[in-house]
Amino acid sequence: MATMKAIDIKDGKGPIENMFFTEMPRPKPTHAQALIKVKAFGLNRMDLLQRMGMYPVPPQAPKTMGVEFSGTIEELAGESERGFKKGDAVFGLAYGGAYAEYIAVSTHMLVHKPDELSWEECAGIPETWITALQAMYLVGEFKPGKSILWHAGASSVSIAGQQLSVSDGASATFATARSDDKTEFCVKELGAKAAYNTQTEKWDESVLRDTDGKGVDIIVDYIGADTFAQNLNAAARDARIVNLATLSGGKLKAGQTDADLGAFVRKRIRFEGSSLRSRDEAYQGRLRDQLVEIALPKFRDGSFRSIVEKVFPWEQIQDAHRLMESNKTKGKLICTIP
């Protein structure tokens, strides 16, 4: 049986130091899958949670971490999507398994790698850009002329989201972040109209000021408890609040319970949670198609950027996780496999 190197977790979960290299069987592609020799993979915050045993991994996912990658097709199963062949350079989204030399993944979730982008840039696109597309269009119901606010503005999904919003005619694109360096990045590098430091200002009041009291039409939030009340205040009438994570905690505590719940009725607000990894292949495949249609041409001509903060050789996976935990990054962390 052919084997491969992969990154595993001692005891199945634990701190950074529990990650180690191991040998495991090389996956065999079935049905519509392809076997990919991985060149690079992207890190995501869900990886940190999964490592600690705090992320609900889909039943079809392998235990190995990693959901986005770039590489070359080594083998195709009999039902694979037309248009792919052995040797093709691709990038894609998986339910897991990218922290390894090889990954078996549905061809419905693969995209041909543009010559204009590096392996590292492509490895940082699938999870973040597809999540941004899902939050903005499918859940948030974005249309040109609407305003939108992206929390955690220097995070990878919001970096993608701000570029999408500006490109597709948002009346105004806003962001929040936890430092002046990051808010400046959102305005100068991503085109946000304004970005607010959540540590030094009441960002919801700033949004109302900058929208002449109207509020913002769509809010994409990963924070949870700490932003719940302010989201309701900053939301416009008929606003959509899209919640993708609860980084500040999933339960409201004392001091967070002064939220104006009447805003739900008065403003006709819709608050909706969503996730991507738990979706079925057909749903994810539609988003793959949207990525190819909307974003790929703009990556080719340079209008969109896959912003990579730092590239690590995969032997330094522990250092990569430490940097992600520091919350000091502006863009993707990528690991490469020789």
Side-chain angles (χ1 to χ4, degrees), residues 241-288:
I241 301 173
V242 184
N243 183 258
L244 300 179
T246 55
L247 296 177
S248 66
K251 295 183 178 181
L252 294 172
K253 303 180 180 69
Q256 298 170 324
T257 55
D258 59 347
D260 178 12
L261 297 182
F264 278 110
V265 176
R266 187 173 66 253
K267 297 183 181 182
R268 303 191 296 264
I269 293 170
R270 188 178 78 193
F271 184 104
E272 185 170 346
S274 189
S275 64
L276 177 61
R277 195 174 180 184
S278 62
R279 302 286 188 169
D280 63 32
E281 186 178 301
Y283 181 97
Q284 292 191 3
R286 290 194 297 272
L287 286 166
R288 188 279 310 258

Side-chain angles (χ1 to χ4, degrees), residues 132-142 270 272 283 286-287 290:
L133 286 163
Q134 177 199 28
M136 181 173 163
Y137 291 100
L138 294 190
V139 185
E141 298 181 343
F142 176 85
R270 188 178 78 193
E272 185 170 346
Y283 181 97
R286 290 194 297 272
L287 286 166
Q290 196 173 24

Side-chain angles (χ1 to χ4, degrees), residues 12-28:
K13 63 179 180 180
I16 288 172
E17 293 73 21
N18 277 26
M19 289 189 293
F20 70 100
F21 282 91
T22 187
E23 288 280 334
M24 62 175 58
R26 184 184 300 182
K28 183 74 175 174

Side-chain angles (χ1 to χ4, degrees), residues 222-334:
Y222 325 86
I223 313 302
D226 284 353
T227 50
F228 183 73
Q230 290 170 295
N231 283 343
L232 294 177
N233 189 38
R237 178 169 288 182
D238 294 315
R240 303 289 187 255
I241 301 173
V242 184
N243 183 258
L244 300 179
T246 55
L247 296 177
S248 66
K251 295 183 178 181
L252 294 172
K253 303 180 180 69
Q256 298 170 324
T257 55
D258 59 347
D260 178 12
L261 297 182
F264 278 110
V265 176
R266 187 173 66 253
K267 297 183 181 182
R268 303 191 296 264
I269 293 170
R270 188 178 78 193
F271 184 104
E272 185 170 346
S274 189
S275 64
L276 177 61
R277 195 174 180 184
S278 62
R279 302 286 188 169
D280 63 32
E281 186 178 301
Y283 181 97
Q284 292 191 3
R286 290 194 297 272
L287 286 166
R288 188 279 310 258
D289 295 343
Q290 196 173 24
L291 173 69
V292 171
E293 178 184 350
I294 293 175
L296 200 60
K298 293 183 179 294
F299 280 117
R300 289 184 182 276
D301 68 19
S303 302
F304 285 166
R305 292 184 295 153
S306 174
I307 296 176
V308 176
E309 170 84 9
K310 189 170 182 178
V311 177
F312 294 85
W314 77 325
E315 293 86 357
Q316 296 177 16
I317 185 63
Q318 292 188 5
D319 292 334
H321 270 234
R322 287 189 187 97
L323 181 55
M324 175 158 276
E325 283 189 343
S326 75
N327 294 321
K328 294 179 179 177
T329 57
K330 297 191 293 291
K332 293 294 296 189
L333 300 180
I334 304 294

Side-chain angles (χ1 to χ4, degrees), residues 8-9 26 48 61 87 173 218 268:
D8 203 350
I9 308 168
R26 184 184 300 182
L48 306 182
T173 301
I218 302 166
R268 303 191 296 264

Side-chain angles (χ1 to χ4, degrees), residues 15 59 70 85 110 115 135 150 162 193 228 235 285 312 322 324 338:
S70 60
K85 65 182 185 302
L110 292 179
D115 293 337
W150 296 85
Q162 287 166 83
K193 176 181 178 181
F228 183 73
F312 294 85
R322 287 189 187 97
M324 175 158 276

